[in-house]
Amino acid sequence: MIKRGLSRYFSSLQQSDHLSGNAYMFVNDFGKSIAPIGGKRLNQKNFSYNIIGNNKDKGIDLLKSLARHKNGRTDTELCCDVINHLASTLFYFGDYHYLYTKIDDEYKLVSLEQRGLFKVLNFFVQLVPKAERNKFKSVALFDTSKNIIRFRVSDNKIQTMVYKFMLKLLAKTSDVTPKFFLENPMNNDANFNVANYTRIKSIFISILTYKYSWPQRSLDTEHITEYYLVHRHMKYCAKKAQIRVFILEQLNSMFTKLEVDAKIVEQGLPVESEIIQSLGEMQRGEISINTFTDWS
C-alpha cells in the first residue's frame, strides 16, 4: 500500500555521517561564509540583499523556514543566513528536498528524510523502513512534485552525481598512512615512504578538487609563491561566488514555482566573472596582487 504524505524523518533510521577526514574538511570550508556571515563584511560595507514584490511578507516567511536562526532581522541578514545554511546543507548532501506544507495556518518549507526519497514522473516517492511499515501502514509514501522544492549544489543532475562521487573519493583519502602499513608495519616493504605517500595523496586531492581550487588546509608553503597563493585563493573565492549566485537563483525559482510574487535582489558583492576578469588582469601584470585584499 502507498499513502500520500511524505515524512520528515523515520525514527528507526540512525543519524548517518557519511563524511570523514578530507571530505568533512572540504564541506566545512566550502559550506561556510558563501555569503557574509551575519549579513556583515568589513571589506564589503555597501552590499545588501532586498526582498521585493507584492508578496514580500510571504516570501520572508518562506525564507525564515529555511534559515538557521528564526529571529527577526533585516533582509540582508536573513538572506545571508539562508544562503549559508543552504550552502552548508548542499555541500554535505549534494542536493536536498523540502516539502511545501501548511503548519498552524501558515505555509512553510520543512526538511524531509532524504534517504529512500526519489522522483518518479511527476511524483516524489519515499520508501518506508521495514521497522516502521506497520506504524505508517504503508511500504511507501508519495506527494506531487509541485509540493517539493529541491535545491542542488550544481545546475544539473549529472554534475550533482559527480559531486557526490567526489565526496566519497575524498573520504577514502583521509588516512595519514595506508591501512596495510598500519596493520603490520614491521612486515611491510622497507622502501615504503610515508612522505611520498602523503605527497601523492595531496596531488590526487588537488586533481579531484581542481574546479574548486580547494587549498586543503595545507601548511606546506615551501614550494609555493605568494602569487600562486593569491591566484588559488581568488579562484576559490570565484567558485564560492558562483555557488552563492546559483543558490540565489534557486531561491527566486522557488518563489516562481510556489506562485509567490517575491524576489531577492543582491547588490554590492563580487560575482564570479568579475573575480576571473581581475585574475586575468593580474596575470597580465595590469594590477597588483594587493588589489584582491578587499575581495577575500
Side-chain angles (χ1 to χ4, degrees):
M1 181 178 178
I2 300 178
K3 292 175 61 177
R4 182 163 188 167
L6 302 175
S7 178
R8 298 181 63 180
Y9 65 92
F10 295 109
S11 58
S12 62
L13 294 180
Q14 295 181 349
Q15 188 97 15
S16 66
D17 192 350
H18 63 285
L19 301 182
S20 60
N22 290 314
Y24 187 79
M25 288 191 291
F26 175 85
V27 166
N28 271 270
D29 288 352
F30 259 100
K32 293 180 179 177
S33 67
I34 288 288
I37 297 176
K40 299 176 181 178
R41 192 176 186 184
L42 293 177
N43 294 329
Q44 298 290 342
K45 296 179 181 179
N46 296 322
F47 86 94
S48 66
Y49 285 96
N50 293 293
I51 304 168
I52 61 175
N54 294 325
N55 295 131
K56 172 180 176 177
D57 290 342
K58 187 173 182 180
I60 290 175
D61 288 339
L62 287 174
L63 291 175
K64 284 183 177 179
S65 66
L66 292 173
R68 180 178 277 113
H69 305 100
K70 310 299 182 183
N71 297 330
R73 63 193 68 191
T74 65
D75 288 358
T76 297
E77 291 171 340
L78 175 60
C79 291
C80 286
D81 185 16
V82 170
I83 291 172
N84 285 329
H85 191 201
L86 277 176
S88 179
T89 301
L90 294 177
F91 270 99
Y92 189 90
F93 290 99
D95 55 8
Y96 207 80
H97 303 78
Y98 291 86
L99 174 66
Y100 181 60
T101 186
K102 194 173 185 179
I103 301 177
D104 297 332
D105 296 326
E106 290 185 7
Y107 280 96
K108 296 181 180 181
L109 292 165
V110 297
S111 61
L112 293 169
E113 172 57 61
Q114 305 297 300
R115 289 169 288 183
L117 182 67
F118 56 94
K119 187 176 183 182
V120 180
L121 300 177
N122 292 324
F123 298 90
F124 274 89
V125 179
Q126 190 178 49
L127 299 179
V128 178
K130 289 184 179 180
E132 298 185 63
R133 288 177 182 174
N134 287 334
K135 173 185 173 182
F136 283 90
K137 297 180 180 179
S138 176
V139 296
L141 308 173
F142 78 96
D143 207 332
T144 59
S145 58
K146 70 177 184 178
N147 293 327
I148 307 300
I149 301 297
R150 174 165 55 188
F151 294 96
R152 287 188 176 134
V153 73
S154 298
D155 59 3
N156 65 61
K157 186 175 181 180
I158 294 178
Q159 289 182 3
T160 300
M161 292 173 63
V162 170
Y163 173 80
K164 292 179 179 180
F165 182 66
M166 182 199 75
L167 281 187
K168 291 182 179 179
L169 290 180
L170 273 179
K172 293 181 181 295
T173 65
S174 299
D175 295 332
V176 176
T177 53
K179 289 183 179 179
F180 73 83
F181 187 81
L182 290 174
E183 291 171 355
N184 201 350
M186 300 304 295
N187 293 334
N188 280 296
D189 189 344
N191 293 323
F192 178 78
N193 190 306
V194 175
N196 284 340
Y197 168 80
T198 302
R199 182 176 62 84
I200 293 171
K201 183 179 70 173
S202 180
I203 293 173
F204 174 72
I205 294 173
S206 294
I207 295 172
L208 198 61
T209 61
Y210 173 76
K211 66 179 292 186
Y212 296 93
S213 297
W214 184 47
Q216 301 182 40
R217 300 187 183 181
S218 175
L219 299 177
D220 181 15
T221 58
E222 181 180 357
H223 304 294
I224 296 178
T225 64
E226 183 182 17
Y227 173 87
Y228 173 79
L229 284 174
V230 172
H231 189 278
R232 182 180 65 183
H233 178 67
M234 295 319 300
K235 287 192 70 176
Y236 176 62
C237 290
K239 189 63 180 181
K240 280 194 166 188
Q242 179 196 54
I243 293 164
R244 185 193 77 239
V245 171
F246 180 55
I247 291 176
L248 180 62
E249 291 172 349
Q250 291 183 86
L251 288 169
N252 283 329
S253 295
M254 172 191 74
F255 290 142
T256 301
K257 179 177 180 178
L258 298 178
E259 298 181 348
V260 176
D261 185 9
K263 183 179 181 181
I264 304 171
V265 179
E266 177 187 274
Q267 292 181 322
L269 289 177
V271 296
E272 180 190 21
S273 59
E274 293 174 337
I275 300 175
I276 296 301
Q277 179 181 343
S278 294
L279 275 174
E281 293 172 354
M282 184 183 75
Q283 290 172 334
R284 296 189 295 271
E286 298 172 5
I287 58 176
S288 71
I289 61 175
N290 294 329
T291 303
F292 294 103
T293 56
D294 290 340
W295 290 34
S296 59

